Amino acid sequence: MNDFANKMEELKSAIEVEMKELKENMMSGICKENEKMRENVKKDMREEMEKMREDVLEKVKSLCMEVEEVKKEMKEQKRCVEFVSETYDELKKENAYIKKEMKEKKNVSEKVVTLSQKFS
């Protein structure tokens, strides 16, 4: 009976040792799996961040091109406004000159009429 109890105790110790090793191996496997998953997540996040960075750079380039186009359009519009302003000023001067001429012609006309009435 003592022999049987000793054998049972040996088996119990052996089972405990095996269970402990199995637990350690499982924990080690879980840790390795967790580490592998963590590395995969880091890799995926780096790739996604790089893609987002590239997308943002592409968008910035596109916006810069649009800004350059708007600058060109604004420069052209500024030239047009300057041209219209200069043309307006010239027309204003010409109009003033024409009014002056017409006024002078009217005065001359009135003088002619006055003189013709004096001589008639």
Side-chain angles (χ1 to χ4, degrees):
M1 184 82 167
N2 211 4
D3 195 34
F4 178 75
N6 286 339
K7 283 281 187 194
M8 287 299 282
E9 198 59 40
E10 281 178 32
L11 282 171
K12 183 179 173 187
S13 285
I15 288 172
E16 284 176 354
V17 168
E18 285 295 320
M19 288 297 285
K20 184 178 177 184
E21 285 179 16
L22 185 61
K23 260 187 186 177
E24 287 173 1
N25 287 340
M26 281 177 57
M27 290 306 286
S28 174
I30 289 171
C31 287
K32 286 178 185 175
E33 188 64 30
N34 282 347
E35 187 63 31
K36 187 188 282 184
M37 286 172 54
R38 194 175 298 121
E39 289 301 317
N40 287 340
V41 167
K42 282 182 185 178
K43 180 184 169 197
D44 291 346
M45 286 179 71
R46 272 192 299 267
E47 289 172 356
E48 192 169 329
M49 290 297 288
E50 183 62 27
K51 185 181 181 320
M52 287 172 63
R53 184 174 113 19
E54 289 172 3
D55 290 347
V56 166
L57 285 174
E58 195 62 38
K59 185 69 175 175
V60 167
K61 285 179 186 176
S62 173
L63 289 172
C64 285
M65 289 170 57
E66 286 181 37
V67 165
E68 286 304 314
E69 283 298 315
V70 168
K71 282 181 179 178
K72 287 178 185 175
E73 288 176 18
M74 287 177 66
K75 192 173 182 179
E76 183 63 29
Q77 288 179 356
K78 183 179 176 186
R79 277 190 289 217
C80 289
V81 166
E82 288 171 353
F83 174 76
V84 167
S85 179
E86 289 170 5
T87 305
Y88 175 76
D89 290 343
E90 289 172 11
L91 289 173
K92 209 166 138 182
K93 287 176 187 175
E94 197 172 315
N95 191 31
Y97 176 76
I98 290 170
K99 281 183 180 180
K100 181 181 169 189
E101 287 286 317
M102 288 180 70
K103 191 174 184 180
E104 286 176 10
K105 285 181 182 181
K106 184 179 177 189
N107 286 342
V108 168
S109 244
E110 286 174 359
K111 285 180 185 179
V112 166
V113 167
T114 305
L115 284 174
S116 79
Q117 284 175 353
K118 280 184 183 181
F119 290 111
S120 17

